[in-house]
Amino acid sequence: MKVSLRWLRDYVDITLPIKELAERLTMAGIEVKEMQITGGTWENIVIGEIVAVEAHPNADRLKLVTVHLGQKQLTVVSGAPNLRTGDKVPFAYVGAQLIDGHTGEIIQLKPAKIRGALSEGVVCSEKELGISDSHEGIMVLSPEAPAGTPLADYLGDVIFNLDVTPNRPDCLSVIGVAREIAALTEQTVRLPQVSYEESTEVIDSLASVKIVEPVLCPRYCASMIIGVSVAPSPRWLQQRLLACGMRPINNIVDVTNYVMLEYGQPLHAFDYHRIAGRQIIVRLAKGGEVITTLDGMERAMTSDMLVIADAEHPVAIAGIMGGLDTEISEETTAVLIESANFNRSAIRQTSANLGLRTEASLRFEKGLSSELPLPALKRATRLILEIAGGKAAKGILDVYPGRQERQPLLFSTVQISRLLGVEVGTDEAIRTLTFLSFECQKTGSSEQISVTAPYWRTDISNCADLVEEVARIIGYDKIPATMLSTPIPVPELKPEFTLREKLRSIMVSCGFQEVLTYSLTSLDMLRRVSPDSQLTTPLKVANPITKEQEYLRTTLRAKLLATLNQNQRYETGGIRLFEIGKVFLPQEKDLPEEREKLCAVLSGPRSELSWRDQEGLIDFFNTKGVMENLLSWLGEEIKFDVSEDRGLHPGKRADIIVDGIKVGVMGELHPKVSEAFELSGTTYLIELDLKELLPLATRLKKYSPLPRFPGVIRDIAIVVAESASYQQVKNIIQSFPPVAKVNLFDLYRGEQVPRGKKSLALRIVYQAPTHTLTDEEIIKVQEQILDTLYRELGATLRS
Amino acid sequence: MPRELEELASQAFEELDKISDPKELETWQIRYLGKKSPLMQLLHSLATLPLEERRITGGRANEIKKALETGLGKRREALKEAQIAVSLQRESLDISLPGQPIPLGRLHPITQILKEICDIFVGMGFQVVEGPEVEWDYYNFEALNIPKDHPARDMMATLWIDFELETGDREMLLRTHTSPMQIRVMEKLRPPIRVIVPGRVYRHEATDATHESMFHQVEGLAVDRNITLADLKGTLFEFARCLFGSERQARFRCDYFPFVEPGVEMAIDCIVCKGAGCRLCGGSGWIEILGAGMVHPDVLRRVNIDPEVYTGFAFGMGVERIPMLRYGIDDIRLFYSNDLRFLKQF
């Protein structure tokens, strides 16, 4: 909402410097987002009165213009076609800053001799002053403009661009803002004149109003003026509209817009002679009805839309936009002015359904007072009579089925201190509220007052609202800052946060960069992750912003792989990425299950290119090491089982089983998936389900005492068939109790061992809790181990 | 005998001074202090000497032995020192060679800031809770005094989920703010309540340098007897000082959110111009940080908390803005485009 300071001054005295005023308004809830100052550059420009226009001695098309400037007179040369003795015009002295009428550049005015005649200034066009684009002639000011006065004092203005919150439609008006200023600076508001002379013709004999939908239209007022002359509005009116960002159209429409800006009440003017049956009917549209609105668009009405109709068809979409048929035109001689109140929800719905938002709908949908139509209508009628002439019909059509008495609120200053934490006396509260036009009455109790909000404050409904009124006017800066003194609630344990933090810190320490990716993605992206499997239908956004953000992710893999691909373009070293986030699994008739997952991808060299060790590429066992790091702290055995995951390489994938529960999966990315994401090199992937992990992570850990006797280390190498897995070998060895630890430190295939076999070099730590094991004991166990390995796997000791 | 002894001693010391090799030192030790050395043999044969001579010669021989041993020890120490000095000199590295690269992981800047924010509030007795990102219209809007067709819905353009329930009235959406958790928390807990809710939120918004369709918020809620706007101010000003530095100024101004009354917007003085007015703060000298207010009585009533007995405050802040301000990041989209060249800076 743009508000002109000059316009505001009509209703309230501005007693504060402009910047401070803007600050006070902002602090009180009406944010001044921006201040535009017009005339700020009008130094050395004053109002002049043309006292003589003479021919230039050396040029036919130029004139010598003598201008009276209060204290003195100067003669300048001008070629303007509209020079008239007696006119008040802007006059720029040498040194003034102007906009060149032809080039549009900013120039500094210098003394000039034009065709032999000295010119010590210029009379200015609107364009030269930066007021408009008009450069056809000089700007003519109103006859009352005082000669000699700086133009900035007379015409300069400050435009406040206000951010009005949706609860304050009353401040979408100049008077509303003036009321705020008045309350903040303890002034009173001067309201405009609304009375006018009526003719003898009674309005009821000219038109009628019928409200079919009283819930949707609580009130409809109309006045009529006969014999108007439609013409462009006077300059002052046009300028005010322009300053507020509205385009002048003609004097009738401009007045309705002007009063809307002034009072915040949208109005509409109909060409009376085009209203069929002289009837205004406020009703729902009938199926199939079509209306061409003022913007020239043909709009199909649906039966839930409120329209203003005449005896035959809709003439306006109620509260949103008028129809072209009854538009004010140059032929219009009689007008019917509508000033009504409509249900905010209805207006909002219709406006949204039509995709049509107007200054009117923006105000109505915020909930205007049903008391507002009448004063606004009277004001508009008076202005039209002043500007467009004609005679007003006697009386006003006022159908008011939704009249409601304003209920006073019982308000106690105890509520102020209870909510604000600062004491405000009853008298101060009354004083503050009174400046805001609230009616305050003392009651029997010294703390309690009865408060009635002014009609335009539709946002006030309870005592908390009143507390805010008091707070914002006395200033939020008057409220002290205290720390909470109430008891701290007993915190509830949140093991899922602890788990997440733990996993995050392990991933980071394993060299993984955390990423956060969008929850929304495309079906295509989700499909790419698992090419051959059926996708459970993900949740779909009904109104997606783009096709790329249409579905809620059911896996973290897609975006993570896409992120890997993006970064492969720049990164030369290995890339390790992870994300901990939610996937959204649809559920019947309920919100989706939001399941937290960890997903990590890794690819490329194990380490950055370096003059030190030239290590190879990240492989399955690097990935497995990360997985082991992630889970080892659980203190449970981790099993890597055969997996069916279709996104992974069938020969290089594993389900992760802890205590019989599948908690995740890992492996090499399926080459098809890799191709679908245009990844270079081989990619490995880890996925954990935090929900499955949680019960394992929350088990209470038990301390095991430190061994009192040293372990004994023995290295052995065995030769075993390729078909035997390391896990099988390890399980056998570990089944013998004195074995505390088994470590594979070499795996060999080649000339030294028979075909189809492999050699495993193992370091075994033997340890007993009761004593240091003797050589004999260890030899005995080792023999048993080798026997079992031979029996079950055909393994032999490598000689 | 004593004279030979003295000569032997002076010869030994003379040789010892010249030794520069640890091996020679060992030879020397064998020669003068070894079992077969004259000195040791003398000491062995002492028993055969007459008492008086044994006393004099023995005493002197022992003195010399001690002196030789001390000399040997010192020499050995000196040689070791010299050797270390030589090897230290020989072993110096080109310390400008690059270190062995060890992959370093980092947390996303938003994770980092969320932790920072949560830690501050946890220190003030708040508990961290989380809630669903896909919500019912009821929690996201209705229960927060934003019924259908309320103009405040304009402030939060919504992404709706394509979902139909037979009754048709429960509409599913991506939460536009973390405030629905106010309702969920109050449905579950009774005062005293002190929680903060970090999480993702979503808007139907075209993205540009300052707008994202997904971002994070942290919601705060405290409900009990005697909680006031002054407490809100104290809590949030303290938070601002913890997060932005103790020299930061903060201010409250009146603002509107349908689920609080009175409503507040908190701003801090601009971190670039310190309040003088610049491009970052749009010339106002202040930067909006969060919205807050006293929990609306209708909201309390809706969750069966008596507003005549209890009061509460709530606040909600956008998270991305904070690292943007702190690090001078000029494009919010950088956070979720996950370019490692960006992420590795934090």
Side-chain angles (χ1 to χ4, degrees):
Chain A
M1 167 84 191
K2 284 181 171 178
V3 177
S4 143
L5 192 69
R6 195 167 276 283
W7 195 351
L8 279 169
R9 284 202 164 105
D10 285 359
Y11 315 113
V12 65
D13 291 335
I14 306 290
T15 56
L16 292 174
I18 305 308
K19 240 191 124 178
E20 204 182 319
L21 177 68
E23 172 81 9
R24 289 290 300 276
L25 279 169
T26 299
M27 294 298 281
I30 313 291
E31 188 185 359
V32 180
K33 278 190 300 186
E34 194 187 11
M35 277 194 285
Q36 284 169 284
I37 299 165
T38 55
T41 56
W42 293 347
E43 232 172 284
N44 293 320
I45 301 174
V46 298
I47 297 163
E49 181 180 354
I50 299 177
V51 291
V53 181
E54 291 158 284
H56 191 288
N58 306 322
D60 290 347
R61 287 173 49 194
L62 296 180
K63 296 272 175 15
L64 291 179
V65 192
T66 306
V67 187
H68 174 65
L69 300 163
Q71 304 293 324
K72 56 179 171 179
Q73 289 193 358
L74 283 175
T75 301
V76 297
V77 179
S78 172
N82 61 336
L83 296 163
R84 234 177 44 194
T85 307
D87 274 356
K88 300 283 179 59
V89 296
F91 179 88
Y93 283 110
V94 165
Q97 192 179 295
L98 293 177
I99 295 163
D100 187 294
H102 301 289
T103 65
E105 282 167 28
I106 294 168
I107 50 159
Q108 190 102 23
L109 193 63
K110 292 184 186 119
K113 241 183 188 175
I114 301 172
R115 301 266 179 125
L118 185 69
S119 192
E120 295 170 88
V122 294
V123 285
C124 309
S125 72
E126 289 188 8
K127 183 165 182 183
E128 284 170 318
L129 295 169
I131 292 174
S132 78
D133 275 342
S134 165
H135 192 55
E136 285 79 55
I138 52 164
M139 180 178 182
V140 180
L141 303 169
S142 125
E144 314 86 75
T149 304
L151 185 69
D153 290 356
Y154 179 69
L155 217 55
D157 201 356
V158 177
I159 307 296
F160 285 156
N161 194 353
L162 303 175
D163 195 358
V164 177
T165 52
N167 59 325
R168 293 299 303 274
D170 62 304
C171 282
L172 293 172
S173 73
V174 186
I175 289 177
V177 178
R179 285 186 178 122
E180 284 289 300
I181 294 171
L184 287 168
T185 58
E186 310 205 334
Q187 305 285 314
T188 44
V189 166
R190 297 177 291 273
L191 288 176
Q193 290 295 321
V194 295
S195 61
Y196 55 85
E197 202 179 314
E198 296 176 339
S199 71
T200 50
E201 203 159 3
V202 181
I203 193 163
D204 298 280
S205 65
L206 298 167
S208 69
V209 169
K210 185 181 168 196
I211 298 176
V212 181
E213 299 292 336
V215 174
L216 303 184
C217 177
R219 190 177 194 182
Y220 196 102
C221 304
S223 70
M224 272 190 58
I225 304 147
I226 293 159
V228 293
S229 329
V230 178
S233 297
R235 180 185 300 279
W236 66 267
L237 206 165
Q238 293 201 15
Q239 262 165 5
R240 285 195 166 175
L241 292 180
L242 283 167
C244 296
M246 292 197 88
R247 196 165 48 91
I249 294 165
N250 59 49
N251 50 9
I252 308 291
V253 174
D254 289 355
V255 165
T256 61
N257 284 332
Y258 182 85
V259 175
M260 175 180 72
L261 293 174
E262 192 178 38
Y263 278 80
Q265 167 68 43
L267 301 150
H268 184 67
F270 295 98
D271 184 332
Y272 170 68
H273 294 301
R274 292 177 159 269
I275 299 173
R278 300 172 168 191
Q279 282 179 332
I280 292 288
I281 302 160
V282 188
R283 61 162 167 87
L284 288 172
K286 294 166 189 159
E289 274 184 330
V290 170
I291 180 167
T292 306
T293 41
L294 284 171
D295 54 4
M297 299 280 287
E298 197 169 276
R299 297 175 190 275
M301 299 285 96
T302 52
S303 57
D304 57 345
M305 292 177 179
L306 191 70
V307 295
I308 312 300
D310 60 13
E312 290 161 9
H313 40 63
V315 291
I317 307 171
I320 299 174
M321 195 180 267
L324 203 55
D325 278 355
T326 51
E327 181 189 31
I328 305 299
S329 69
E330 279 171 34
E331 285 88 54
T332 304
T333 56
V335 295
L336 182 142
I337 312 292
E338 164 199 294
S339 183
N341 184 260
F342 299 110
N343 176 286
R344 55 197 262 184
S345 302
I347 297 292
R348 198 180 144 86
Q349 252 169 41
T350 303
S351 159
N353 290 345
L354 291 171
L356 181 60
R357 313 202 82 179
T358 60
E359 290 287 333
S361 74
L362 282 174
R363 285 171 172 81
F364 281 125
E365 69 173 33
K366 293 184 176 73
L368 295 175
S369 165
S370 56
E371 289 295 305
L372 190 55
L374 198 58
L377 179 63
K378 288 181 176 169
R379 169 69 170 158
T381 310
R382 180 188 164 104
L383 274 177
I384 290 172
L385 290 170
E386 270 175 28
I387 288 162
K391 286 186 169 163
K394 189 177 173 61
I396 276 177
L397 295 168
D398 185 357
V399 185
Y400 196 175
R403 185 191 297 272
Q404 272 178 332
E405 287 305 315
R406 280 175 284 139
Q407 295 299 325
L409 291 164
L410 270 184
F411 182 53
S412 154
T413 47
V414 174
Q415 280 157 310
I416 300 180
S417 54
R418 186 169 167 266
L419 275 181
L420 300 184
V422 65
E423 301 281 340
V424 175
T426 309
D427 288 342
E428 195 184 350
I430 292 176
R431 184 179 152 82
T432 307
L433 289 168
T434 307
F435 272 112
L436 283 163
S437 310
F438 287 71
E439 286 163 33
C440 301
Q441 269 170 350
K442 293 206 172 182
T443 62
S445 150
S446 63
E447 278 150 4
Q448 210 155 47
I449 43 176
S450 161
V451 180
T452 310
Y455 71 79
W456 56 87
R457 291 300 302 272
T458 47
D459 59 313
I460 304 291
S461 63
N462 60 49
C463 288
D465 294 328
L466 295 177
V467 172
E468 179 177 272
E469 289 307 301
V470 174
R472 69 187 189 88
I473 299 300
I474 65 172
Y476 278 21
D477 51 342
K478 300 284 191 313
I479 295 165
T482 55
M483 291 311 281
L484 283 168
S485 53
T486 52
I488 293 176
V490 180
E492 193 188 328
L493 286 174
K494 291 281 174 189
E496 61 268 35
F497 296 174
T498 321
L499 172 64
R500 190 194 298 156
E501 288 302 308
K502 182 106 195 171
L503 296 176
R504 260 197 193 123
S505 71
I506 293 172
M507 289 311 282
V508 165
S509 65
C510 289
F512 284 75
Q513 168 69 51
E514 189 192 25
V515 298
L516 298 177
T517 64
Y518 292 113
S519 313
L520 287 168
T521 184
S522 67
L523 208 51
D524 169 55
M525 284 288 268
L526 293 173
R527 281 206 182 106
R528 279 191 220 176
V529 164
S530 192
D532 302 321
S533 63
Q534 285 290 95
L535 191 69
T536 46
T537 317
L539 280 183
K540 185 170 183 271
V541 173
N543 58 335
I545 305 163
T546 62
K547 282 276 164 205
E548 283 72 43
Q549 300 203 351
E550 197 177 1
Y551 288 88
L552 274 162
R553 63 183 180 190
T554 48
T555 169
L556 301 183
R557 292 184 192 185
K559 281 284 180 182
L560 211 53
L561 290 170
T563 305
L564 178 64
N565 164 263
Q566 280 164 36
N567 280 292
Q568 279 183 338
R569 285 175 222 164
Y570 314 109
E571 290 291 323
T572 48
I575 304 179
R576 297 167 170 84
L577 304 174
F578 82 102
E579 176 169 16
I580 295 180
K582 289 171 168 180
V583 298
F584 301 84
L585 309 173
Q587 297 188 123
E588 192 91 0
K589 295 181 183 179
D590 203 355
L591 294 176
E593 183 192 354
E594 299 188 8
R595 211 174 237 257
E596 199 162 33
K597 298 252 192 181
L598 178 152
C599 186
V601 293
L602 56 168
S603 137
R606 266 172 221 157
S607 114
E608 241 177 273
L609 182 64
S610 167
W611 60 285
R612 304 268 294 176
D613 321 320
Q614 293 288 331
E615 285 188 87
L617 296 175
I618 289 167
D619 64 16
F620 183 89
F621 296 101
N622 294 121
T623 314
K624 188 168 172 182
V626 174
M627 185 58 100
E628 285 164 343
N629 271 359
L630 272 170
L631 299 178
S632 61
W633 62 278
L634 291 173
E636 302 275 346
E637 197 198 350
I638 310 156
K639 269 178 70 190
F640 292 80
D641 247 5
V642 178
S643 171
E644 297 283 303
D645 193 292
R646 286 173 182 265
L648 300 176
H649 187 302
K652 302 175 187 176
R653 61 187 178 191
D655 282 349
I656 318 304
I657 316 284
V658 182
D659 202 18
I661 300 163
K662 181 182 166 186
V663 297
V665 64
M666 62 153 288
E668 183 180 314
L669 199 64
H670 196 291
K672 276 190 190 169
V673 180
S674 185
E675 198 189 322
F677 285 93
E678 295 170 35
L679 296 170
S680 58
T682 313
T683 299
Y684 293 87
L685 183 141
I686 280 175
E687 201 171 61
L688 283 178
D689 190 322
L690 272 63
K691 191 183 169 189
E692 298 293 0
L693 214 47
L694 191 62
L696 298 164
T698 46
R699 278 189 196 165
L700 203 59
K701 279 196 182 176
K702 252 194 151 171
Y703 148 87
S704 41
L706 303 183
R708 287 175 57 204
F709 300 94
V712 181
I713 294 169
R714 289 284 183 277
D715 291 347
I716 58 165
I718 56 162
V719 175
V720 66
E722 281 287 3
S723 58
S725 74
Y726 172 67
Q727 188 68 49
Q728 287 172 297
V729 174
K730 193 182 171 190
N731 286 349
I732 289 171
I733 298 172
Q734 279 184 328
S735 66
F736 292 86
V739 173
K741 203 176 165 191
V742 184
N743 235 340
L744 177 73
F745 65 89
D746 192 35
L747 170 64
Y748 175 78
R749 297 179 176 96
E751 287 171 22
Q752 311 288 320
V753 292
R755 269 182 96 93
K757 303 224 168 185
K758 59 191 171 190
S759 159
L760 303 174
L762 300 152
R763 171 160 295 180
I764 304 173
V765 181
Y766 299 93
Q767 201 164 27
T770 48
H771 63 288
T772 306
L773 290 164
T774 62
D775 261 0
E776 293 73 44
E777 285 176 296
I778 290 166
I779 289 166
K780 205 173 144 202
V781 176
Q782 194 149 308
E783 272 170 9
Q784 289 172 344
I785 290 174
L786 288 168
D787 275 356
T788 319
L789 284 172
Y790 177 73
R791 229 178 23 251
E792 295 191 6
L793 300 173
T796 54
L797 193 66
R798 189 176 165 197
S799 48
Chain B
M1 194 65 189
R3 215 189 54 202
E4 285 160 39
L5 201 61
E6 295 305 325
E7 274 172 16
L8 188 77
S10 66
Q11 189 190 339
F13 279 119
E14 206 173 297
E15 278 180 36
L16 185 65
D17 280 346
K18 289 179 191 153
I19 290 173
S20 60
D21 188 324
K23 273 184 190 153
E24 281 175 46
L25 204 60
E26 270 169 46
T27 321
W28 181 89
Q29 187 179 6
I30 293 162
R31 186 182 306 149
Y32 293 103
L33 289 167
K35 276 183 187 163
K36 289 174 182 168
S37 68
L39 182 63
M40 294 311 276
Q41 288 193 339
L42 176 71
L43 285 168
H44 268 286
S45 62
L46 278 180
T48 60
L49 293 181
L51 188 68
E52 182 62 7
E53 203 177 331
R54 189 194 307 174
R55 196 181 54 80
I56 297 169
T57 311
R60 181 57 190 151
N62 268 317
E63 270 175 35
I64 289 172
K65 183 186 170 221
K66 220 168 227 168
L68 286 179
E69 279 170 349
T70 312
L72 173 69
K74 279 189 182 155
R75 194 67 201 147
R76 190 175 274 148
E77 202 56 40
L79 283 184
K80 207 164 143 194
E81 287 284 327
Q83 206 177 11
I84 289 172
V86 167
S87 69
L88 285 180
Q89 206 168 13
R90 203 187 306 128
E91 287 167 8
S92 77
L93 292 175
D94 174 2
I95 54 158
S96 72
L97 284 169
Q100 166 95 53
I102 296 168
L104 175 64
R106 287 178 170 83
L107 292 176
H108 192 282
I110 294 302
T111 306
Q112 295 182 36
I113 197 75
L114 278 172
K115 177 151 173 46
E116 212 178 310
I117 294 169
C118 290
D119 284 352
I120 294 170
F121 285 111
V122 166
M124 294 192 231
F126 285 77
Q127 162 142 44
V128 182
V129 295
E130 289 178 351
E133 292 171 26
V134 179
E135 262 295 4
W136 298 115
D137 182 289
Y138 174 77
Y139 289 103
N140 197 76
F141 289 128
E142 296 272 344
L144 293 166
N145 293 344
I146 314 173
K148 298 228 164 33
D149 308 315
H150 192 286
R153 290 200 178 200
D154 286 352
M155 305 195 289
M156 293 179 282
T158 308
L159 286 160
W160 297 94
I161 300 292
D162 195 2
F163 171 89
E164 293 251 334
L165 208 67
E166 295 87 75
T167 50
D169 57 358
R170 294 198 100 188
E171 282 167 286
M172 211 188 268
L173 49 79
L174 281 161
R175 66 175 175 193
T176 57
H177 50 176
T178 40
S179 309
M181 272 303 280
Q182 288 187 28
I183 305 298
R184 287 187 178 272
V185 165
M186 289 190 287
E187 277 180 348
K188 214 178 110 195
L189 304 177
R190 294 290 93 182
I193 294 169
R194 247 190 245 191
V195 295
I196 49 162
V197 191
R200 292 182 175 198
V201 300
Y202 304 84
R203 301 277 170 92
H204 189 281
E205 214 160 319
T207 56
D208 61 29
T210 53
H211 296 90
E212 252 295 5
S213 55
M214 179 189 95
F215 53 97
H216 289 76
Q217 284 190 343
V218 173
E219 191 81 10
L221 175 73
V223 185
D224 202 352
R225 290 167 206 266
N226 306 320
I227 288 183
T228 66
L229 194 70
D231 294 331
L232 174 64
K233 201 174 188 180
T235 303
L236 291 180
F237 280 23
E238 184 60 25
F239 162 74
R241 276 191 292 271
C242 287
L243 196 65
F244 296 102
S246 55
E247 74 285 1
R248 276 284 71 78
Q249 301 289 311
R251 78 164 192 201
F252 265 20
R253 59 169 284 262
C254 179
D255 203 350
Y256 169 69
F257 307 97
F259 42 99
V260 290
E261 191 72 36
V264 173
E265 174 211 273
M266 186 175 83
I268 55 164
D269 61 333
C270 177
I271 56 174
V272 170
C273 64
K274 312 261 183 294
C278 68
R279 236 190 75 207
L280 180 68
C281 57
S284 71
W286 295 94
I287 293 176
E288 296 167 23
I289 290 298
L290 54 82
M294 300 303 292
V295 182
H296 197 286
D298 291 346
V299 172
L300 290 175
R301 261 179 226 116
R302 208 165 278 127
V303 291
N304 294 317
I305 292 177
D306 186 352
E308 302 298 324
V309 179
Y310 296 102
T311 54
F313 65 65
F315 57 86
M317 73 186 90
V319 172
E320 281 72 4
R321 196 166 163 70
I322 294 163
M324 286 180 84
L325 287 171
R326 189 184 278 180
Y327 304 118
I329 299 166
D330 54 6
D331 193 334
I332 192 171
R333 290 168 295 193
L334 284 166
F335 289 113
Y336 307 114
S337 56
N338 290 308
D339 190 317
L340 290 175
R341 294 169 299 177
F342 171 74
L343 296 178
K344 280 182 177 173
Q345 295 179 29
F346 306 99

